[in-house]
Amino acid sequence: PELLETLDTRRYVPVIAPLGVSKGGQTYNINADYVASAVAAELKAEKLILLTDVAGVLDNDGNRLTGLPTKQVDEHIDKGVNAGGMIPKVKCCLEAIDSGVHFSHIIDGRTPHSLLLELLTDKGVGTLIRS
């Protein structure tokens, strides 16, 4: 994490491309959520925030869950409440929390001011996953 910490102290905002390269030079696209989770864990971040194009984690009726305890995430996956592309997102949130990140958020980046609304209002606009 030294490079990222150095950039931070010098007030740079790093942009991390989620790419990997094999020993033979083959380039691989890595799921950006997994990269973000690993970086947050390594930096011992307070929060992991994943921006997506859905309202957050939804229940069976399509309503957004404003909060989701980690112990219920696997339950939701097993019951089919969370499916498709949401599964890697919630699993990344769990991995980050298991590695010491305190909170994970999944929010709709299409909503104007979504980051501010999620962090600075009581209800937020996404889903907060917490231990």
Side-chain angles (χ1 to χ4, degrees):
E2 293 83 17
L3 176 58
L4 292 174
E5 290 167 351
T6 299
L7 291 170
D8 182 52
T9 58
R10 293 184 179 174
R11 297 186 176 204
Y12 287 94
V13 176
V15 176
I16 301 171
L19 300 173
V21 180
S22 72
K23 289 181 182 180
Q26 177 69 35
T27 304
Y28 295 98
N29 182 24
I30 302 170
N31 181 303
D33 297 329
Y34 286 115
V35 173
S37 176
V39 169
E42 189 65 32
L43 291 174
K44 303 197 181 350
E46 180 74 20
K47 293 178 183 279
L48 168 66
I49 301 171
L50 301 178
L51 296 175
T52 188
D53 61 354
V54 294
V57 179
L58 307 178
D59 65 16
N60 278 330
D61 297 323
N63 299 310
R64 177 178 51 91
L65 299 171
T66 57
L68 184 62
T70 55
K71 62 184 176 188
Q72 290 181 356
V73 171
D74 287 329
E75 208 175 284
H76 280 238
I77 293 170
D78 294 342
K79 291 180 180 178
V81 177
N82 298 127
M86 191 55 70
I87 292 174
K89 289 189 184 321
V90 295
K91 287 194 174 217
C92 288
C93 290
L94 285 180
E95 288 176 17
I97 289 171
D98 287 345
S99 298
V101 175
H102 295 123
F103 304 99
S104 291
H105 301 259
I106 299 174
I107 62 175
D108 188 345
R110 302 171 303 171
T111 302
H113 313 294
S114 58
L115 189 57
L116 293 172
L117 291 169
E118 177 67 13
L119 298 177
L120 301 177
T121 63
D122 291 336
K123 284 192 172 185
V125 295
T127 301
L128 168 65
I129 299 177
R130 66 198 182 289
S131 56

